[in-house]
Amino acid sequence: MSLFNRFQKNPASHSPSPQWPQPPAADTMCLLLMDRVLDTVDPITAHLKSSFGRQAVSETDRDHPRVPAFTITIDGLEFWCSYLPMPVPADTADISTSASYSFLLTDEEKQAFIHHRSFWMLAQKGGGTSLEAKRRACWTFSILCAALLEQEEAVGIHVVNRGGLLVSKRHYLQQRELMEAKKPANDEGYFPAPLWVWVYGSYQDKAPILRTVGLQDFGLPELGFYHPDKFSTGELLNFLYSMSSLQITGRELYRNASIIPLDEKTEVVCKQDGDVLFFIGA
């Protein structure tokens, strides 16, 4: 059955589409990949103390000699940080496949991700109980990740969710510069969506699609373009990131059958297919 056939009105033959917004994922987790195995985490904790204050960082737990861990508290949120001196296990994340599907990594960055040697597991437990709280937790998490990425040996971030988002150190720190001029609650509808939302291309019923993965963690529908042919991939990426930001900040909630203007010449119709709202006509 084609995507357009599924869009035809025949409610008796399909399960009900989910209603949005939904409760977000309360927990948030990222992996920070490194290009070498560290002899000690002491320089990392020293850097974090200088960035966020000595009282923000707990004593390092060395009960497991090869997996040191500590917590750090930023803006009232506690983050658990654990260092593992090995590559990310394949059953945890398929880094190689994620790298191959990334639009935003250079070839050199893809190789750095694929050949990483160790990683940090970073987690925030229970902070995302509402869209506003999830937005704040992820914003603060981004500040922590950016501080860790200032280390020479850091490669980039993998967000642990339904997708395979990889963000290079270069791109992450660029986004951090944009965040410095903003606040978590801002009037522009800005949120660093590229740090939390993966956009990838594939085919559905032989038609090309470009869609997000990651918005469901915020309790929001994923967004996508079905069979786009009027805009370049870069332009479509910008649309999806901007639309994601507007949803995450509560400035917009796209709905089935809505008509959305993309520019002065193009309007698209929004059609829901399961967990994804596809924009048709781009």
Side-chain angles (χ1 to χ4, degrees), residues 112-192:
F113 271 107
I114 292 169
H115 297 293
H116 73 280
R117 299 285 305 281
S118 65
F119 70 101
W120 287 88
M121 182 174 290
L122 311 170
Q124 202 292 314
K125 297 291 186 180
T129 54
S130 66
L131 177 57
E132 181 182 5
K134 182 70 172 182
R135 183 170 65 241
R136 173 179 172 242
C138 289
W139 184 284
T140 308
F141 213 144
S142 299
I143 294 172
L144 169 60
C145 288
L148 289 166
L149 287 170
E150 291 171 344
Q151 302 302 298
E152 177 186 359
E153 59 270 17
V155 171
I157 296 290
H158 167 63
V159 177
V160 180
N161 58 17
R162 299 172 180 85
L165 175 63
L166 301 177
V167 187
S168 69
K169 179 200 306 192
R170 169 189 58 85
H171 191 200
Y172 212 102
L173 295 180
Q174 287 174 349
Q175 291 291 316
R176 177 66 181 95
E177 288 185 6
L178 296 176
M179 292 173 65
E180 290 175 353
K182 309 288 184 181
K183 295 180 179 179
N186 58 80
D187 295 333
E188 299 93 336
Y190 168 79
F191 182 83

Coordinates of all heavy atoms in Angstrom, one line a residue, residues 112-192:
A112 N 36.3 9.5 12.1 CA 36.6 9.7 13.5 C 35.6 9.0 14.4 O 35.9 8.4 15.4 CB 36.7 11.2 13.8
F113 N 34.3 9.1 14.1 CA 33.3 8.5 14.8 C 33.4 6.9 14.7 O 33.4 6.2 15.7 CB 31.9 8.8 14.3 CG 31.3 10.1 15.0 CD1 31.2 11.3 14.3 CD2 30.8 10.0 16.3 CE1 30.7 12.4 14.9 CE2 30.3 11.1 16.9 CZ 30.2 12.3 16.2
I114 N 33.6 6.4 13.5 CA 33.7 5.0 13.3 C 34.9 4.4 14.1 O 34.8 3.3 14.6 CB 33.9 4.7 11.8 CG1 32.5 5.0 11.1 CG2 34.2 3.2 11.6 CD1 32.6 5.0 9.6
H115 N 36.0 5.1 14.1 CA 37.2 4.6 14.7 C 37.5 5.1 16.2 O 38.6 5.1 16.6 CB 38.4 4.9 13.9 CG 38.3 4.3 12.5 ND1 38.4 2.9 12.3 CD2 38.2 4.8 11.3 CE1 38.3 2.6 11.0 NE2 38.1 3.8 10.4
H116 N 36.5 5.6 16.8 CA 36.6 6.1 18.2 C 37.1 4.9 19.1 O 37.0 3.7 18.8 CB 35.3 6.6 18.8 CG 34.3 5.5 19.1 ND1 33.5 4.9 18.1 CD2 34.0 4.9 20.2 CE1 32.8 4.0 18.7 NE2 33.0 4.0 20.0
R117 N 37.8 5.3 20.2 CA 38.4 4.3 21.1 C 37.8 4.2 22.5 O 38.0 3.2 23.1 CB 39.9 4.7 21.3 CG 40.7 4.8 20.0 CD 41.0 3.4 19.5 NE 41.7 2.6 20.5 CZ 43.0 2.8 20.8 NH1 43.8 3.6 20.1 NH2 43.5 2.0 21.7
S118 N 37.0 5.2 22.9 CA 36.4 5.1 24.2 C 35.2 6.1 24.2 O 35.0 6.8 23.2 CB 37.4 5.5 25.3 OG 37.8 6.8 25.2
F119 N 34.4 6.1 25.3 CA 33.3 7.0 25.3 C 32.8 7.2 26.8 O 33.1 6.5 27.7 CB 32.1 6.4 24.5 CG 31.4 5.2 25.1 CD1 30.2 5.3 25.8 CD2 32.0 3.9 25.0 CE1 29.6 4.2 26.4 CE2 31.4 2.8 25.6 CZ 30.2 2.9 26.3
W120 N 32.1 8.4 26.9 CA 31.4 8.7 28.1 C 29.9 8.4 28.0 O 29.3 8.7 26.9 CB 31.6 10.2 28.4 CG 32.9 10.7 28.8 CD1 34.0 11.0 28.0 CD2 33.4 10.8 30.2 NE1 35.1 11.3 28.8 CE2 34.7 11.3 30.1 CE3 32.8 10.7 31.4 CZ2 35.5 11.5 31.2 CZ3 33.5 10.9 32.5 CH2 34.8 11.3 32.5
M121 N 29.3 7.9 29.0 CA 27.9 7.8 29.1 C 27.4 8.8 30.0 O 27.8 8.9 31.2 CB 27.5 6.4 29.6 CG 26.0 6.1 29.6 SD 25.6 4.4 30.1 CE 26.1 3.6 28.6
L122 N 26.5 9.7 29.5 CA 26.0 10.8 30.2 C 24.5 10.7 30.3 O 23.8 10.5 29.3 CB 26.3 12.1 29.4 CG 27.8 12.3 29.0 CD1 28.0 13.5 28.1 CD2 28.7 12.4 30.2
A123 N 23.9 10.9 31.5 CA 22.5 10.7 31.7 C 21.9 11.7 32.6 O 22.6 12.1 33.6 CB 22.2 9.2 32.2
Q124 N 20.7 12.1 32.3 CA 19.9 12.9 33.2 C 18.6 12.2 33.5 O 17.9 11.8 32.6 CB 19.6 14.3 32.6 CG 19.3 15.4 33.6 CD 18.0 15.2 34.3 OE1 17.0 14.8 33.7 NE2 18.0 15.4 35.6
K125 N 18.4 11.9 34.7 CA 17.2 11.0 35.1 C 16.0 11.8 35.6 O 16.2 12.6 36.6 CB 17.6 10.0 36.2 CG 18.7 9.0 35.8 CD 18.2 8.1 34.7 CE 19.2 7.0 34.4 NZ 18.7 6.1 33.4
G126 N 14.9 11.7 34.9 CA 13.6 12.2 35.4 C 13.4 13.7 35.2 O 12.4 14.2 35.7
G127 N 14.2 14.4 34.5 CA 14.0 15.8 34.4 C 13.0 16.3 33.3 O 12.6 17.4 33.3
G128 N 12.7 15.4 32.4 CA 11.8 15.8 31.3 C 10.4 15.4 31.5 O 9.8 14.7 30.7
T129 N 9.7 15.9 32.5 CA 8.4 15.5 32.8 C 7.3 16.3 32.0 O 6.1 15.9 32.1 CB 8.1 15.7 34.3 OG1 8.4 17.0 34.7 CG2 9.0 14.7 35.2
S130 N 7.7 17.3 31.4 CA 6.7 18.1 30.5 C 7.6 18.6 29.4 O 8.8 18.5 29.4 CB 6.1 19.2 31.3 OG 7.1 20.2 31.7
L131 N 6.9 19.2 28.4 CA 7.7 19.7 27.2 C 8.6 20.8 27.7 O 9.8 20.9 27.3 CB 6.7 20.3 26.2 CG 7.3 20.9 25.0 CD1 8.3 20.0 24.3 CD2 6.3 21.4 24.0
E132 N 8.1 21.7 28.6 CA 9.0 22.8 29.1 C 10.2 22.2 29.8 O 11.3 22.7 29.7 CB 8.2 23.7 30.0 CG 9.0 24.9 30.5 CD 8.1 25.8 31.4 OE1 7.0 25.4 31.7 OE2 8.7 26.8 31.9
A133 N 9.9 21.2 30.7 CA 11.0 20.6 31.5 C 11.9 19.8 30.6 O 13.2 19.9 30.8 CB 10.4 19.7 32.6
K134 N 11.4 19.2 29.6 CA 12.3 18.4 28.7 C 13.2 19.4 27.9 O 14.4 19.1 27.7 CB 11.5 17.6 27.7 CG 12.3 16.7 26.7 CD 12.9 15.6 27.4 CE 13.6 14.6 26.4 NZ 14.2 13.5 27.1
R135 N 12.6 20.5 27.5 CA 13.4 21.5 26.7 C 14.5 22.0 27.6 O 15.6 22.2 27.2 CB 12.4 22.6 26.3 CG 13.1 23.7 25.5 CD 12.0 24.6 24.9 NE 11.3 25.4 25.9 CZ 10.0 25.3 26.0 NH1 9.3 24.4 25.3 NH2 9.4 26.0 27.0
R136 N 14.2 22.3 28.9 CA 15.2 22.8 29.8 C 16.3 21.8 30.0 O 17.5 22.1 30.1 CB 14.5 23.2 31.1 CG 15.5 23.6 32.2 CD 14.8 24.0 33.5 NE 15.8 24.2 34.6 CZ 15.8 23.4 35.7 NH1 14.9 22.5 35.9 NH2 16.7 23.6 36.6
A137 N 15.9 20.5 30.2 CA 16.9 19.5 30.5 C 17.8 19.3 29.3 O 19.0 19.2 29.5 CB 16.2 18.2 30.8
C138 N 17.3 19.3 28.1 CA 18.1 19.1 26.9 C 19.0 20.4 26.7 O 20.1 20.2 26.2 CB 17.3 18.8 25.7 SG 16.5 17.2 25.7
W139 N 18.5 21.5 26.9 CA 19.3 22.8 26.8 C 20.5 22.7 27.7 O 21.6 22.9 27.3 CB 18.4 24.0 27.1 CG 19.1 25.3 26.9 CD1 20.0 25.9 27.7 CD2 18.9 26.2 25.8 NE1 20.4 27.1 27.2 CE2 19.7 27.3 26.0 CE3 18.1 26.2 24.7 CZ2 19.8 28.4 25.1 CZ3 18.2 27.3 23.8 CH2 19.0 28.4 24.0
T140 N 20.2 22.4 29.0 CA 21.3 22.3 30.0 C 22.3 21.1 29.6 O 23.5 21.3 29.8 CB 20.7 22.1 31.4 OG1 19.7 23.1 31.6 CG2 21.8 22.2 32.4
F141 N 21.7 20.0 29.1 CA 22.5 18.9 28.7 C 23.5 19.3 27.6 O 24.7 19.0 27.5 CB 21.6 17.8 28.2 CG 22.2 16.4 28.5 CD1 21.3 15.4 28.8 CD2 23.5 16.1 28.4 CE1 21.8 14.1 29.0 CE2 24.0 14.8 28.6 CZ 23.1 13.8 28.9
S142 N 23.0 20.2 26.7 CA 23.8 20.7 25.6 C 25.0 21.5 26.1 O 26.1 21.4 25.5 CB 23.0 21.5 24.6 OG 21.9 20.8 24.0
I143 N 24.8 22.3 27.1 CA 25.8 23.1 27.7 C 26.9 22.2 28.3 O 28.1 22.4 28.2 CB 25.3 24.0 28.8 CG1 24.4 25.1 28.1 CG2 26.4 24.7 29.5 CD1 23.6 25.9 29.0
L144 N 26.5 21.1 29.0 CA 27.4 20.1 29.6 C 28.2 19.4 28.5 O 29.5 19.3 28.5 CB 26.7 19.1 30.4 CG 27.5 17.9 30.9 CD1 28.7 18.3 31.7 CD2 26.6 16.9 31.6
C145 N 27.5 19.0 27.4 CA 28.2 18.3 26.3 C 29.2 19.2 25.6 O 30.3 18.7 25.3 CB 27.2 17.8 25.3 SG 26.2 16.4 25.9
A146 N 28.8 20.4 25.4 CA 29.8 21.4 24.8 C 31.0 21.6 25.6 O 32.1 21.6 25.1 CB 29.1 22.7 24.6
A147 N 30.9 21.6 27.0 CA 32.1 21.8 27.8 C 33.0 20.5 27.7 O 34.2 20.7 27.6 CB 31.6 22.0 29.3
L148 N 32.4 19.4 27.7 CA 33.2 18.1 27.5 C 33.9 18.1 26.1 O 35.0 17.6 26.0 CB 32.3 16.9 27.7 CG 31.9 16.7 29.2 CD1 30.7 15.7 29.2 CD2 33.0 16.2 30.0
L149 N 33.2 18.6 25.1 CA 33.7 18.5 23.8 C 34.9 19.5 23.6 O 35.6 19.4 22.5 CB 32.6 18.8 22.7 CG 31.6 17.7 22.5 CD1 30.4 18.2 21.7 CD2 32.3 16.5 21.9
E150 N 35.1 20.4 24.5 CA 36.3 21.3 24.4 C 37.6 20.5 24.6 O 38.7 21.1 24.4 CB 36.1 22.4 25.4 CG 35.0 23.4 25.1 CD 34.7 24.4 26.2 OE1 35.2 24.1 27.3 OE2 34.0 25.4 25.9
Q151 N 37.5 19.3 25.1 CA 38.7 18.5 25.3 C 39.3 18.1 23.9 O 38.5 17.7 23.0 CB 38.4 17.3 26.1 CG 37.9 17.6 27.5 CD 38.8 18.5 28.3 OE1 39.9 18.1 28.6 NE2 38.3 19.7 28.6
E152 N 40.6 18.0 23.8 CA 41.3 17.7 22.5 C 40.8 16.4 22.0 O 40.7 16.2 20.8 CB 42.8 17.7 22.7 CG 43.6 17.3 21.5 CD 45.1 17.2 21.8 OE1 45.5 17.5 22.9 OE2 45.8 16.9 20.8
E153 N 40.7 15.4 22.9 CA 40.4 14.0 22.4 C 39.0 13.7 22.1 O 38.6 12.6 21.6 CB 40.9 13.0 23.5 CG 40.2 13.2 24.8 CD 40.9 14.1 25.8 OE1 41.8 14.9 25.2 OE2 40.7 14.1 27.0
A154 N 38.1 14.7 22.3 CA 36.7 14.4 22.0 C 36.4 14.4 20.5 O 36.9 15.2 19.7 CB 35.8 15.5 22.7
V155 N 35.5 13.5 20.1 CA 35.1 13.3 18.7 C 33.7 14.0 18.5 O 33.5 14.7 17.5 CB 35.0 11.8 18.3 CG1 34.4 11.7 16.9 CG2 36.5 11.3 18.3
G156 N 32.7 13.6 19.3 CA 31.4 14.1 19.1 C 30.4 13.4 20.0 O 30.8 12.6 20.8
I157 N 29.1 13.7 19.7 CA 28.0 13.2 20.5 C 27.1 12.3 19.7 O 26.8 12.5 18.6 CB 27.2 14.4 21.1 CG1 28.0 15.3 22.0 CG2 25.9 13.9 21.8 CD1 28.4 14.6 23.3
H158 N 26.6 11.2 20.4 CA 25.5 10.4 19.9 C 24.4 10.5 20.9 O 24.6 10.2 22.1 CB 26.0 8.9 19.8 CG 24.8 8.0 19.5 ND1 24.0 8.1 18.4 CD2 24.4 7.0 20.3 CE1 23.1 7.1 18.5 NE2 23.3 6.4 19.6
V159 N 23.2 11.0 20.5 CA 22.1 11.0 21.3 C 21.4 9.7 21.3 O 21.1 9.1 20.3 CB 21.1 12.1 20.8 CG1 19.8 12.1 21.7 CG2 21.8 13.5 20.8
V160 N 21.1 9.2 22.5 CA 20.5 7.9 22.7 C 19.0 8.0 22.6 O 18.4 8.4 23.6 CB 21.0 7.2 24.0 CG1 20.3 5.8 24.1 CG2 22.5 7.0 24.1
N161 N 18.4 7.8 21.5 CA 17.0 7.8 21.3 C 16.6 6.8 20.2 O 17.4 5.8 19.9 CB 16.5 9.2 21.0 CG 17.1 9.8 19.8 OD1 17.7 9.1 18.9 ND2 17.0 11.1 19.7
R162 N 15.5 7.0 19.5 CA 15.1 6.0 18.5 C 16.0 6.1 17.2 O 15.9 5.3 16.4 CB 13.7 6.3 18.1 CG 12.7 6.1 19.3 CD 11.3 6.6 18.9 NE 10.3 6.4 19.9 CZ 10.1 7.3 20.9 NH1 10.9 8.4 20.9 NH2 9.2 7.1 21.8
G163 N 16.8 7.2 17.1 CA 17.5 7.4 15.8 C 19.0 7.2 16.0 O 19.5 6.6 16.9
G164 N 19.7 7.7 15.0 CA 21.2 7.5 15.0 C 21.9 8.8 14.9 O 22.9 8.9 14.2
L165 N 21.5 9.8 15.6 CA 22.1 11.2 15.5 C 23.5 11.2 16.0 O 23.8 10.8 17.1 CB 21.2 12.2 16.3 CG 21.8 13.6 16.3 CD1 21.9 14.2 15.0 CD2 21.0 14.5 17.3
L166 N 24.4 11.6 15.1 CA 25.8 11.9 15.5 C 26.1 13.4 15.2 O 25.8 13.9 14.1 CB 26.8 11.0 14.7 CG 26.6 9.5 14.8 CD1 27.6 8.8 13.9 CD2 26.8 9.1 16.2
V167 N 26.6 14.1 16.2 CA 27.0 15.5 16.1 C 28.5 15.6 16.3 O 29.0 15.3 17.4 CB 26.2 16.4 17.0 CG1 26.4 17.9 16.7 CG2 24.7 16.1 17.0
S168 N 29.2 16.1 15.3 CA 30.6 16.3 15.5 C 31.0 17.4 16.5 O 30.1 18.3 16.8 CB 31.3 16.6 14.1 OG 30.9 17.9 13.7
K169 N 32.2 17.4 17.0 CA 32.6 18.4 17.9 C 32.5 19.8 17.2 O 32.0 20.8 17.8 CB 34.1 18.2 18.3 CG 34.7 19.3 19.2 CD 36.2 19.4 19.2 CE 36.8 18.0 19.6 NZ 38.3 18.2 19.9
R170 N 32.9 19.9 16.0 CA 32.9 21.1 15.2 C 31.4 21.7 15.2 O 31.2 22.9 15.5 CB 33.4 20.9 13.8 CG 33.1 22.0 12.8 CD 33.4 21.6 11.4 NE 32.6 20.5 11.0 CZ 31.4 20.6 10.5 NH1 30.8 21.7 10.3 NH2 30.8 19.5 10.1
H171 N 30.5 20.9 14.8 CA 29.1 21.4 14.7 C 28.5 21.6 16.0 O 27.8 22.6 16.2 CB 28.3 20.3 13.9 CG 26.9 20.8 13.5 ND1 25.9 19.9 13.2 CD2 26.4 22.0 13.4 CE1 24.8 20.7 12.9 NE2 25.1 21.9 13.0
Y172 N 28.8 20.8 17.0 CA 28.3 21.0 18.3 C 28.7 22.4 18.9 O 27.9 23.1 19.5 CB 28.7 19.9 19.3 CG 27.7 19.6 20.3 CD1 26.9 18.4 20.2 CD2 27.5 20.4 21.4 CE1 25.9 18.1 21.1 CE2 26.5 20.1 22.4 CZ 25.7 18.9 22.2 OH 24.8 18.6 23.2
L173 N 30.0 22.7 18.8 CA 30.5 23.9 19.3 C 30.0 25.2 18.6 O 29.8 26.2 19.1 CB 32.0 23.9 19.4 CG 32.6 22.9 20.4 CD1 34.1 22.9 20.4 CD2 32.0 23.0 21.8
Q174 N 29.7 25.0 17.3 CA 29.0 26.0 16.5 C 27.6 26.3 17.0 O 27.2 27.5 17.2 CB 29.0 25.6 15.0 CG 30.3 25.7 14.3 CD 30.2 25.1 12.9 OE1 29.2 24.5 12.5 NE2 31.2 25.3 12.1
Q175 N 26.9 25.3 17.3 CA 25.6 25.4 17.9 C 25.6 26.1 19.3 O 24.8 26.9 19.6 CB 24.8 24.1 17.9 CG 24.5 23.5 16.6 CD 23.4 24.3 15.9 OE1 22.4 24.7 16.5 NE2 23.6 24.5 14.6
R176 N 26.6 25.7 20.0 CA 26.8 26.3 21.4 C 27.0 27.8 21.3 O 26.5 28.5 22.1 CB 28.0 25.6 22.1 CG 28.3 26.2 23.5 CD 27.2 25.9 24.4 NE 27.4 26.4 25.8 CZ 27.0 27.6 26.2 NH1 26.2 28.4 25.4 NH2 27.2 28.0 27.4
E177 N 27.7 28.3 20.3 CA 27.9 29.7 20.1 C 26.5 30.4 19.8 O 26.3 31.5 20.3 CB 28.8 30.0 18.9 CG 30.3 29.6 19.2 CD 31.2 30.0 18.1 OE1 30.7 30.7 17.1 OE2 32.4 29.7 18.1
L178 N 25.6 29.7 19.1 CA 24.3 30.3 18.9 C 23.5 30.3 20.2 O 22.8 31.3 20.4 CB 23.6 29.5 17.8 CG 24.2 29.4 16.4 CD1 23.4 28.5 15.5 CD2 24.2 30.8 15.8
M179 N 23.7 29.3 21.0 CA 22.9 29.2 22.3 C 23.4 30.4 23.2 O 22.6 30.8 24.0 CB 23.2 27.9 22.9 CG 22.5 26.7 22.2 SD 23.0 25.1 23.0 CE 22.3 25.3 24.6
E180 N 24.6 30.8 23.1 CA 25.1 31.8 24.0 C 24.4 33.1 24.0 O 24.3 33.9 24.9 CB 26.6 32.0 23.8 CG 27.5 30.9 24.2 CD 29.0 31.1 23.8 OE1 29.3 32.1 23.1 OE2 29.8 30.3 24.2
A181 N 23.8 33.4 22.8 CA 23.0 34.6 22.6 C 21.6 34.5 23.0 O 20.8 35.4 22.8 CB 23.2 35.1 21.2
K182 N 21.2 33.3 23.4 CA 19.8 33.0 23.7 C 19.6 32.5 25.1 O 20.5 32.3 25.8 CB 19.2 31.9 22.7 CG 19.5 32.2 21.3 CD 18.7 33.3 20.7 CE 18.9 33.4 19.2 NZ 18.1 34.5 18.6
K183 N 18.3 32.4 25.5 CA 18.0 31.7 26.7 C 17.0 30.6 26.4 O 16.4 30.5 25.4 CB 17.2 32.7 27.6 CG 18.1 33.9 28.1 CD 17.3 34.9 29.0 CE 18.2 36.0 29.4 NZ 17.5 37.0 30.3
P184 N 16.9 29.6 27.4 CA 16.1 28.4 27.1 C 14.6 28.9 26.8 O 14.0 28.3 25.9 CB 16.1 27.7 28.4 CG 17.4 28.0 29.0 CD 17.7 29.4 28.6
A185 N 14.1 29.9 27.4 CA 12.8 30.5 27.1 C 13.1 31.7 26.3 O 13.5 32.8 26.9 CB 12.0 30.7 28.3
N186 N 12.9 31.7 25.0 CA 13.2 32.9 24.2 C 12.0 33.1 23.2 O 11.2 32.2 22.9 CB 14.5 32.7 23.4 CG 14.4 31.4 22.5 OD1 13.8 31.5 21.4 ND2 15.0 30.3 22.9
D187 N 11.9 34.4 22.8 CA 10.7 34.8 22.0 C 10.9 34.4 20.5 O 9.9 34.5 19.8 CB 10.5 36.3 22.1 CG 10.2 36.7 23.5 OD1 9.6 35.9 24.2 OD2 10.5 37.9 23.8
E188 N 12.1 34.0 20.1 CA 12.3 33.7 18.7 C 11.9 32.2 18.3 O 11.9 31.9 17.1 CB 13.8 33.9 18.3 CG 14.2 35.3 18.5 CD 14.9 35.5 19.9 OE1 14.5 34.7 20.8 OE2 15.7 36.4 20.0
G189 N 11.5 31.4 19.3 CA 11.2 30.0 18.9 C 12.5 29.3 18.6 O 12.5 28.3 17.8
Y190 N 13.6 29.7 19.2 CA 14.9 29.0 18.9 C 15.2 27.9 19.9 O 15.0 28.0 21.1 CB 16.1 30.0 19.0 CG 17.4 29.3 19.0 CD1 18.0 28.9 17.8 CD2 18.1 29.1 20.2 CE1 19.2 28.2 17.8 CE2 19.3 28.5 20.2 CZ 19.9 28.0 19.0 OH 21.1 27.4 19.0
F191 N 15.6 26.8 19.4 CA 16.1 25.7 20.2 C 17.2 25.0 19.3 O 17.0 24.9 18.1 CB 15.0 24.7 20.5 CG 15.5 23.5 21.4 CD1 15.6 23.7 22.8 CD2 15.8 22.3 20.8 CE1 16.0 22.6 23.6 CE2 16.2 21.2 21.6 CZ 16.3 21.4 23.0
P192 N 18.3 24.5 19.9 CA 19.4 23.8 19.1 C 18.9 22.5 18.6 O 19.5 21.4 19.0 CB 20.5 23.8 20.1 CG 19.9 23.7 21.4 CD 18.7 24.5 21.4

